[in-house]
Amino acid sequence: MTTRLTLRRPDDWHLHLRDGAMLRAVLPETSHHFARAIIMPNLVPPVVTMADAMAYRDRILAAAPGVGLFEPLMTLYLTEDTDPADVAAAHASGLVKAVKLYPAGATTNSASGVQDFDKVRPVLEKMAEIGMPLCVHGEVTTPEVDIFDREAVFIDTVLDPIRRATPGLKVVMEHITTAEAVDYLRAGDAGLGATVTTHHLMINRNHMLVGGIKPHYYCLPVVKRERHRAALVELVTSGFERVFLGTDSAPHLKGDKQSACGCAGVFSAPVTLSCLAEVFDEAGKLEQLEAFTSLNGPAFYGIAPNEEQITLIKGDPISYPPELATENGPVVVFDPGCPLHWRFDDAY
Ligand code: DOR
Ligand code: ZN
């Protein structure tokens, strides 16, 4: 039985760090394990311009526990007013790695997102020209479309037309949740990648809704049927190269989640590596974990993988603190509801 696993230090290709007190509280939970992370721009107000991204990057670095130990990879929030020249300048700086597309109203702080996709054509064409990836929150927001169908409908009615109209545009299908998304990804070319979260590999909609509603399992895209979760596990453990970890770790204060209108988001950063090792171990595919956490993402983004290594050790079930304290109250940590046997070796 494998009891030690050494991997290149992982990266997180989709992370919400927020700002201010929340940023200070959650950043160490990521920087302790991960070398780099793609930082989501859905602040209030959003990170729209290169200047916004540079200022946010400075705030992240100021909050980081060790100088030079964690590298935030910045993104710009695509709006109908985004200037292609600003996007190109941001890309040329080397500090901004992607542009994020939120359909307006799709999720937390997405009000400034895109309604009319024709208005962002010039930006998409510029991005295809310079090789800058578009990270896509893939859900339609049409009220008539059932929330469990929003990802599959988005692929057919928005994503596929955008990709056909913009040859060469690199696209990351963010936090995919369905077998339909898995099929579309597999059928795509080298310019199409996807991230999968930790929680979508571990829970289905029964976990969220049977026996009482679990607000801490509510996220967007919402968790789906078991067959979709199984398709995601099969994808990430199969050795497929265009899929990589994007935790979508998204902290909200406990009171904002345990509410009559609870926020979407699962805070998984502290437990993510333990959870993933459990998933891959259960599937008998521990040898594929490093590709998912540490190799496939850098390859897609065209940057070198980390040289440093980490070790995970298997032993008795670990009990993690259920909450993380912030200056404004606690944030509940993702609890997958099963024992976790793999821990991060701090002594390595
Ligand atoms: O569950 C989610 N939370 N999904 C998102 O797309 C946004 C995120 C957040 O910012 O809280
Ligand atoms: Zn997200």
Side-chain angles (χ1 to χ4, degrees):
M1 189 181 69
T2 310
T3 55
R4 285 178 75 84
L5 192 61
T6 297
L7 313 171
R8 284 181 190 253
R9 187 174 281 277
D11 302 307
D12 184 348
W13 299 94
H14 181 131
L15 177 67
H16 296 269
L17 285 178
R18 318 297 191 206
D19 219 338
M22 186 65 94
L23 167 64
R24 287 192 292 278
V26 301
L27 178 56
E29 301 298 324
T30 287
S31 63
H32 190 50
H33 301 149
F34 293 84
R36 303 172 289 201
I38 285 273
I39 310 299
M40 286 297 121
N42 62 333
L43 303 183
V44 187
V47 177
V48 171
T49 64
M50 175 176 169
D52 295 341
M54 293 301 106
Y56 185 30
R57 181 173 179 275
D58 288 346
R59 299 199 296 282
I60 294 168
L61 291 176
V67 177
L69 294 179
F70 176 73
E71 188 184 356
L73 308 174
M74 306 310 293
T75 61
L76 302 181
Y77 186 119
L78 182 62
T79 75
E80 294 179 3
D81 299 320
T82 296
D83 175 5
D86 187 60
V87 169
H91 183 246
S93 76
L95 303 177
V96 177
K97 296 292 182 200
V99 173
K100 174 78 190 221
L101 166 64
Y102 287 104
T107 187
T108 310
N109 306 334
S110 61
S112 322
V114 177
Q115 250 164 342
D116 179 354
F117 287 90
D118 283 340
K119 294 210 173 122
V120 297
R121 292 245 96 258
V123 178
L124 300 185
E125 270 153 28
K126 175 57 76 179
M127 290 169 63
E129 181 192 319
I130 63 182
M132 189 179 199
L134 180 71
C135 294
V136 178
H137 183 110
E139 290 189 288
V140 292
T141 54
T142 329
E144 305 78 60
V145 178
D146 189 272
I147 190 165
F148 290 101
D149 299 333
R150 287 179 171 200
E151 181 173 282
V153 173
F154 182 90
I155 292 169
D156 291 343
T157 63
V158 182
L159 181 59
D160 196 58
I162 288 179
R163 291 188 58 242
R164 284 177 195 279
T166 328
L169 179 66
K170 282 180 105 168
V171 171
V172 182
M173 300 168 71
E174 298 274 48
H175 42 52
I176 58 171
T177 63
T178 57
E180 289 87 342
V182 171
D183 291 345
Y184 187 78
L185 172 70
R186 283 188 179 276
D189 59 22
L192 185 65
T195 57
V196 177
T197 78
T198 309
H199 47 287
H200 286 104
L201 292 171
M202 298 193 90
I203 55 172
N204 63 33
R205 65 192 199 178
N206 274 16
H207 295 112
M208 182 177 65
L209 295 171
V210 173
I213 190 160
K214 318 294 187 313
H216 299 290
Y217 286 168
Y218 176 62
C219 61
L220 289 169
V222 70
V223 287
K224 307 293 192 304
R225 290 176 180 274
E226 173 58 15
R227 77 174 175 88
H228 295 292
R229 188 197 68 83
L232 296 173
V233 171
E234 198 284 324
L235 173 73
V236 303
T237 60
S238 69
F240 183 77
E241 289 177 358
R242 287 183 282 114
V243 68
F244 29 96
L245 173 64
T247 64
D248 200 8
S249 182
H252 291 276
L253 294 176
K254 183 177 180 179
D256 293 338
K257 295 221 26 109
Q258 295 179 196
S259 140
C261 184
C263 297
V266 171
F267 177 58
S268 62
V271 297
T272 272
L273 291 180
S274 287
C275 286
L276 292 173
E278 201 74 32
V279 169
F280 280 68
D281 196 1
E282 190 119 306
K285 294 288 179 67
L286 276 174
E287 73 281 3
Q288 299 290 357
L289 181 60
E290 183 181 42
F292 180 60
T293 60
S294 318
L295 298 174
N296 294 351
F300 186 85
Y301 275 85
I303 56 187
N306 299 308
E307 287 300 333
E308 207 193 337
Q309 295 189 318
I310 62 156
T311 294
L312 301 173
I313 300 173
K314 187 174 187 179
D316 292 335
I318 316 153
S319 32
Y320 281 101
E323 296 179 356
L324 176 75
T326 81
E327 288 164 37
N328 298 317
V331 174
V332 173
V333 176
F334 176 56
D335 173 2
C338 62
L340 296 173
H341 300 87
W342 290 89
R343 67 183 166 80
F344 183 84
D345 182 9
D346 282 301
Y348 189 77

